[in-house]
Amino acid sequence: MKYRTIGTGPHSRRVSVLALGAMLFGSMTDEKTSFAVLDRYVEAGGNFIDTSDNYAFWTDGGQGGQSEQLLGRWRRSRGAGDEIVVATKLGARPLAPGTSYTDNPEGLSAKVIREASERSRERLGMERLDLLYAHIDDHTVPQRETVEAFGDLVAEGTVGLLGVSNQAVWRVERARALAAQAGLPGYEVLQYHHSLLRPRSDVPSDLFPDGNLGHVGPEMAGYLRAEPGLTLVAYSPLLGGAYARPERLPGDYDHPGSPARLAVLHEVARETGATPGQVVLAWQIGHELPILPLAGASSVAQLDENLAAVDLELSPEQWARLDAAH
């Protein structure tokens, strides 16, 4: 396994370059399989696990919490401690069963941030959350209130690092500026959707009908270059298995650029003897930008395929072709 440091302050952590997504653990992926995948990940040197307080509310019409609960049971049964870095999120949990984060989210008020983080710590069995994200934006609450509420948790020692997901770049920068002005910790880890294929920006996204705020575009890439202390955690790097099963490709990826990029991807895969998905993960892991791919796995075999990407070396010429394809 290879590792990278996230964060710049006293709570910075050294994490594996391939993060494990636990979104469907405890719901779509049963406990026995989830435990087996987690055990294999740790055996391979992995130590960076990602979840959220709303995973997976859509599987049973509830409010989520299944993933955190399963991870808590796994941590306790394995005696896991600080060597395992667990990241979770708040702000997008539906307030009532049968509703959604798009129409009834918990939001980012000071009250929610405190209460939701306490519930996450209880479910996970952790005295301190290693990394806590603002999952989605909340325009109904002043950003200063959100920034101060997150800062209070860090000061109290119940949260280590802070992160943000699915917000416009200008909102992220404003929040970080407010934190800096107040002498408070700010967001240091950004979790956004990023893959080799790129969605159209002029049509509603399958995930983000308000405008692809969750996708890494040129503006976010430029922001990462300008702020070297930030790290990007790239979720859905394999597009839900679409590199192996093209029929799964979301509709907003149906444009002339996708076939060109796929053609280069498959060329590199043949040259390296790797799968297209492994090439995508290797491309992210070795990228000039500080990217940590976050990939889920519903079986040990699927995880092992992803883990093989950590040691896949691409040549400079292959890098150039992948980056230039459009």
Side-chain angles (χ1 to χ4, degrees), residues 242-317:
Y243 290 108
R245 299 177 63 180
E247 69 274 12
R248 292 187 176 183
L249 196 65
D252 46 326
Y253 287 81
D254 184 11
H255 58 80
S258 290
R261 296 180 77 80
L262 283 171
V264 174
L265 173 62
H266 285 279
E267 288 175 3
V268 174
R270 287 193 295 270
E271 293 163 4
T272 57
T275 66
Q278 289 170 336
V279 172
V280 171
L281 294 176
W283 172 76
Q284 289 187 329
I285 290 170
H287 204 277
E288 59 165 323
L289 296 177
I291 300 174
L292 296 172
L294 165 61
S298 58
S299 68
V300 171
Q302 192 176 66
L303 173 65
D304 281 338
E305 180 177 342
N306 293 343
L307 286 169
V310 173
D311 296 318
L312 177 59
E313 298 289 343
L314 302 177
S315 71
E317 188 271 339

Side-chain angles (χ1 to χ4, degrees), residues 74-103:
W74 175 79
R75 291 184 72 259
R76 286 186 287 271
S77 70
R78 303 306 192 256
D82 290 343
E83 74 280 3
I84 304 298
V85 178
V86 178
T88 193
K89 315 174 194 72
L90 56 76
R93 185 172 187 258
L95 288 174
T99 61
S100 169
Y101 72 90
T102 59
D103 55 23

